[in-house]
Amino acid sequence: QVQLVESGGGLVQTGGSLRLSCIASERTLSSYPMGWSRQATGKEREFVAGINWNGRSTYVTAFVKGRFTLSRDNAKNAVYLQMNSLKPDDTAVYYCAVSRVPLSSSKDHVDYWGQGTQVTVSS
């Protein structure tokens, strides 16, 4: 059974930084786009960022562009989300995702989800 395990969430002050990590249980997932979505309390889950299989192409949504950076290490079956200049609006549960479709379609199609990690940004 495919598992995605996130870590790195926590409580941080406005302007602070966190680095989220996601480790996939199967090496075959390194062949697919991976990414992150988030869900704030009372809101729908929203796509944040995605990265293609070799890490050469990324897609970051406008509301985090310039603050969040995505990277991956296929040797470790891992994807990372570096979050800088955090704002209270970034408070949410962040979910790792794997999509067995091209990166351009990955924000609308997810095959596997992680269990989520809480990020809380205090004002």
Side-chain angles (χ1 to χ4, degrees), residues 5-28:
V5 180
E6 301 103 329
S7 61
L11 173 64
V12 65
Q13 292 185 334
T14 295
S17 298
L18 285 173
R19 187 188 191 220
L20 304 184
S21 300
C22 172
I23 308 296
S25 61
E26 295 187 6
R27 190 168 185 81
T28 54

Side-chain angles (χ1 to χ4, degrees), residues 15-122:
S17 298
L18 285 173
R19 187 188 191 220
L20 304 184
S21 300
C22 172
I23 308 296
S25 61
E26 295 187 6
R27 190 168 185 81
T28 54
L29 297 182
S30 298
S31 301
Y32 301 111
M34 298 181 73
W36 295 87
S37 294
R38 69 186 186 186
Q39 187 168 18
T41 301
K43 296 186 177 181
E44 293 187 354
R45 191 172 299 189
E46 60 182 1
F47 176 83
V48 175
I51 187 167
N52 75 332
W53 73 273
N54 62 9
R56 294 177 182 173
S57 181
T58 60
Y59 174 76
V60 182
T61 53
F63 53 80
V64 301
K65 198 168 187 177
R67 301 188 297 122
F68 291 12
T69 303
L70 199 59
S71 62
R72 69 189 294 167
D73 184 344
N74 286 341
K76 298 180 179 179
N77 299 341
V79 63
Y80 307 100
L81 185 66
Q82 177 66 44
M83 305 186 296
N84 299 327
S85 302
L86 283 162
K87 307 174 182 179
D89 285 348
D90 295 319
T91 295
V93 178
Y94 284 71
Y95 296 90
C96 178
V98 171
S99 302
R100 296 189 296 177
V101 296
L103 178 62
S104 59
S105 302
S106 62
K107 70 180 184 70
D108 299 315
H109 179 97
V110 173
D111 291 284
Y112 306 107
W113 291 104
Q115 83 288 351
T117 185
Q118 176 71 46
V119 171
T120 303
V121 185
S122 63

